[in-house]
């Protein structure tokens, strides 16, 4: 098989407890799980096309955009990374309509075990993809709120007690220890109970979601691959976790290369 096109981050879903990965090459969709265990080659054709305006850009900004779009799109604004700094109410949202439909929708605050227990937030409709993208082996939604800003305020408060980061090397080497998310949920909710009341956040009656990944062999040493340095990357695909392809030759963060024009050969 050989096909090419501009890629996006892998589409993720759960089948039972197994993470499923699909990679888009423009309008062609490849089942990546089926390639695990086989040699593959990905080559960068030296073209990056902005995911928003379609312009060819010499460099990718904000994971797949040209410089002007990265400066003007709300989804590339700092408040997306730090939702507690939402500035819609000041009338300064870069794209108020986009903000209304993406940030003023139900969001959840969750715990996930990616390299240890972490806190995170996401749109309610974005689970379990968000957890798979982070390589979490388990996740538990804990609160539902009405807006991204409110989820950010709760996350910020919880960050006094727990990290919001993943150690991606630990995650990729599969050195994550099992963790009791239910017990952690109870103690963390107690710490932020007044804020939960103030924001009228709903506690989430969900169960822990366990996630397995299609991996035959984890790396013992993590070597990061990049199309900017090595235009042709090949090797046996040992597995997929988070947004990473685990190749015999190293790990490739697919998300970082969104909008790159690639050819896949199997
Ligand atoms: Zn653009």
């Amino acid at each position: 098989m050989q096909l090419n096109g501009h890629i996006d981050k892998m589409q993720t879903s759960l089948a039972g407890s197994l993470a499923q990965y699909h990679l888009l090459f423009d309008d062609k969709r490849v089942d990546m799980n089926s390639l695990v265990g086989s040699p593959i080659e990905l080559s960068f054709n030296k073209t990056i096309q902005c995911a928003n305006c379609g312009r060819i850009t010499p460099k990718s900004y904000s994971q797949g955009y040209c410089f002007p779009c990265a400066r003007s799109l709300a989804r590339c604004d700092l408040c997306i990374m730090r939702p507690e700094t939402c500035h819609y109410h000041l009338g300064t949202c870069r794209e108020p309509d986009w903000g209304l439909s993406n940030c003023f929708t139900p969001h959840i605050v969750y715990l996930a075990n990616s390299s240890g227990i972490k806190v995170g937030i996401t749109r309610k409709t974005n689970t379990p993809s968000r957890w798979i993208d982070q390589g979490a082996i388990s996740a538990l939604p804990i609160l539902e709120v009405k807006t991204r800003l409110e989820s950010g305020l709760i996350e910020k408060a919880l960050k006094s007690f727990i990290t919001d980061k993943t150690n991606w090397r630990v995650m990729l080497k599969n050195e994550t220890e099992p963790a009791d998310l239910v017990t952690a949920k109870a103690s963390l909710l107690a710490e932020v109970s007044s804020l939960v009341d103030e924001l009228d956040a709903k506690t989430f009656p969900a169960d822990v979601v366990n996630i397995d990944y299609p991996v035959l062999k984890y790396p013992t040493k993590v070597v990061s691959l990049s199309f900017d340095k090595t235009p042709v990357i090949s090797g046996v695909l040992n597995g997929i976790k988070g947004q990473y392809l685990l190749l015999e030759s190293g790990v490739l963060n697919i998300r970082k290369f969104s909008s790159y024009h690639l050819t896949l050969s199997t």
Side-chain angles (χ1 to χ4, degrees):
M1 173 175 68
Q2 186 174 78
L3 50 86
N4 58 65
H6 295 91
I7 65 157
D8 196 357
K9 71 169 189 147
M10 287 183 279
Q11 296 176 337
T12 53
S13 59
L14 266 188
S17 65
L18 183 65
Q20 303 286 318
Y21 289 93
H22 288 88
L23 184 54
L24 285 180
F25 290 79
D26 290 327
D27 53 352
K28 301 167 286 277
R29 193 166 179 263
V30 179
D31 173 359
M32 295 304 289
N33 290 51
S34 70
L35 300 179
V36 172
S38 305
I40 64 168
E41 181 186 279
L42 284 164
S43 57
F44 173 36
N45 306 317
K46 300 289 172 82
T47 305
I48 307 171
Q49 187 177 37
C50 173
N52 182 58
C53 71
R55 182 169 16 206
I56 301 299
T57 173
K59 205 179 148 200
S60 163
Y61 298 87
S62 292
Q63 297 178 332
Y65 299 96
C66 68
F67 186 69
C69 286
R71 290 284 295 267
S72 62
L73 293 171
R75 77 201 70 163
C76 300
D77 202 347
L78 276 178
C79 50
I80 294 301
M81 296 299 288
R82 298 181 53 205
E84 72 277 14
T85 62
C86 172
H87 47 94
Y88 185 93
H89 60 286
L90 300 175
T92 53
C93 183
R94 289 177 174 182
E95 297 174 280
D97 289 343
W98 187 92
L100 265 188
S101 56
N102 286 274
C103 302
F104 289 79
T105 55
H107 276 62
I108 63 159
V109 182
Y110 63 83
L111 301 180
N113 184 14
S114 47
S115 56
I117 303 183
K118 72 180 282 286
V119 61
I121 66 129
T122 190
R123 269 182 291 152
K124 193 179 176 184
T125 51
N126 198 29
T127 62
S129 289
R130 180 74 180 146
W131 306 325
I132 298 171
D133 288 352
Q134 294 178 334
I137 58 172
S138 60
L140 179 65
I142 61 171
L143 291 167
E144 178 177 339
V145 290
K146 295 176 286 300
T147 66
R148 188 171 180 87
L149 170 61
E150 290 179 355
S151 68
L153 293 172
I154 294 173
E155 185 187 38
K156 188 173 172 228
L158 288 172
K159 276 196 272 186
S160 305
F161 309 98
I162 192 169
T163 185
D164 64 333
K165 304 277 190 302
T166 295
N167 179 329
W168 59 279
R169 289 177 184 276
V170 169
M171 182 275 283
L172 290 177
K173 288 197 276 185
N174 200 32
E175 290 172 344
T176 309
E177 300 289 336
D180 183 351
L181 299 182
V182 174
T183 303
K185 171 185 171 179
S187 63
L188 288 167
L189 283 182
E191 298 284 1
V192 295
S193 60
S194 57
L195 183 60
V196 168
D197 290 346
E198 190 186 316
L199 297 176
D200 195 22
K202 285 189 277 181
T203 51
F204 218 95
D207 293 328
V208 172
V209 176
N210 291 304
I211 304 170
D212 298 319
Y213 293 88
V215 180
L216 298 175
K217 189 174 148 198
Y218 284 97
T220 47
K221 185 166 155 255
V222 175
V223 178
S224 210
L225 301 171
S226 166
F227 288 115
D228 298 329
K229 289 187 198 135
T230 316
V232 180
I233 291 172
S234 62
V236 172
L237 180 62
N238 286 332
I240 314 172
K241 191 175 187 190
Q243 279 287 330
Y244 287 83
L245 298 183
L246 311 180
L247 292 154
E248 194 65 46
S249 48
V251 303
L252 185 64
N253 182 1
I254 287 293
R255 186 166 203 171
K256 197 171 154 191
F257 301 104
S258 292
S259 302
Y260 280 50
H261 191 278
L262 302 183
T263 298
L264 168 68
S265 310
T266 61

